[in-house]
Amino acid sequence: LLEGEFRYFLGRRIYRAMKRIKGHYIVCGCGRIGFLVAYELMKAGKQVIVIDRKRNVESKLEKYNIPFVLGDATEETTLIEAGIERANGLITTLPGDVDNVFTILTARELRKDIFILARAIDEASEKKLKRAGATKVIKPYLLGGIRMAQAILRPHVIDFIDIATLGDIDLLMEEIKVNKSMEFFNKTIKECQ
């Protein structure tokens, strides 16, 4: 009884807090990849709301204070509850390409301008996901296979990339946009010193 009341109270508090979140990222699907995406975004200081239909993800998300909506990401009402009209982007990592396509179509109908990152399971699905409205498509199995091969072919390069991107050292790679008014526009790194 107490646990039920506590969950209800906590759920209401999280629901009210979600209504105030702006500029967040909606992660659809909380499997292995979806959870990692949400966790890494939160670790980087981004606000995240996860959507999943399975109740067993509640305790994992609550443990890391990640707000969530229990529901179907292919449904308009669920995306609206997750604040799609205020979100910076949507990441769909559902276990099937068909669900990812439907989620993208629904999201595009609600927000024409939102950034959508999609996970493709099947190699042939990339075109369909893009046609549905995905801004960018990631194929984790392809990337994983290539990375494993590179670990054999170029182990030192992979070690460096791991240290630079996954390590706990103070080394960050950043992207900087250079425009025509900057002194190093159209120059090599050597020329910029």
Side-chain angles (χ1 to χ4, degrees):
L1 179 67
L2 286 175
E3 184 178 310
E5 287 296 315
F6 179 72
R7 278 193 181 276
Y8 174 78
F9 172 74
L10 183 64
R12 297 301 309 154
R13 197 186 79 191
I14 290 171
Y15 181 75
R16 283 194 304 273
M18 280 193 316
K19 289 288 186 195
R20 294 188 300 268
I21 293 176
K22 292 180 187 166
H24 61 289
Y25 292 88
I26 300 170
V27 178
C28 304
C30 193
R32 287 180 296 193
I33 291 178
F35 176 76
L36 283 171
V37 169
Y39 179 76
E40 288 297 321
L41 288 172
M42 292 282 288
K43 213 166 78 171
K46 304 293 182 191
Q47 292 185 313
V48 176
I49 295 177
V50 172
I51 298 174
D52 201 288
R53 35 177 109 133
K54 297 182 297 299
R55 278 205 168 279
N56 63 346
V57 302
E58 284 182 81
S59 57
K60 183 197 259 187
L61 294 170
E62 286 172 351
K63 178 180 175 183
Y64 293 97
N65 292 319
I66 300 173
F68 60 92
V69 173
L70 279 176
D72 186 346
T74 66
E75 300 288 330
E76 282 185 21
T77 52
T78 307
L79 292 174
I80 290 168
E81 188 177 346
I84 192 166
E85 68 279 353
R86 302 178 313 276
N88 275 352
L90 180 133
I91 300 115
T92 180
T93 66
L94 297 170
D97 288 333
V98 173
D99 285 336
N100 286 325
V101 166
F102 275 108
T103 300
I104 293 164
L105 289 169
T106 307
R108 272 288 168 241
E109 192 174 295
L110 294 170
R111 281 273 309 274
K112 302 271 186 250
D113 63 332
I114 194 165
F115 177 86
I116 299 176
L117 177 62
R119 170 180 105 165
I121 307 298
D122 186 17
E123 188 85 22
S125 297
E126 182 176 7
K127 286 182 185 174
K128 292 175 183 138
L129 291 161
K130 284 195 172 187
R131 231 179 286 139
T135 313
K136 187 165 182 64
V137 176
I138 301 288
K139 297 173 276 193
Y141 297 116
L142 177 67
L143 293 174
I146 290 170
R147 186 163 174 102
M148 290 175 80
Q150 293 302 316
I152 298 297
L153 299 171
R154 294 174 187 86
H156 299 297
V157 173
I158 293 299
D159 289 346
F160 171 76
I161 291 171
D162 285 346
I163 289 169
T165 57
L166 303 173
D168 289 332
I169 62 170
D170 290 331
L171 173 66
L172 295 173
M173 287 191 201
E174 291 291 338
E175 179 178 325
I176 301 171
K177 291 186 179 185
V178 178
N179 60 41
K180 291 179 182 178
S181 66
M182 300 173 103
E183 67 182 77
F184 34 82
F185 179 76
N186 217 12
K187 291 183 180 177
T188 66
I189 293 175
K190 185 177 181 180
E191 291 170 334
C192 295
Q193 297 183 2

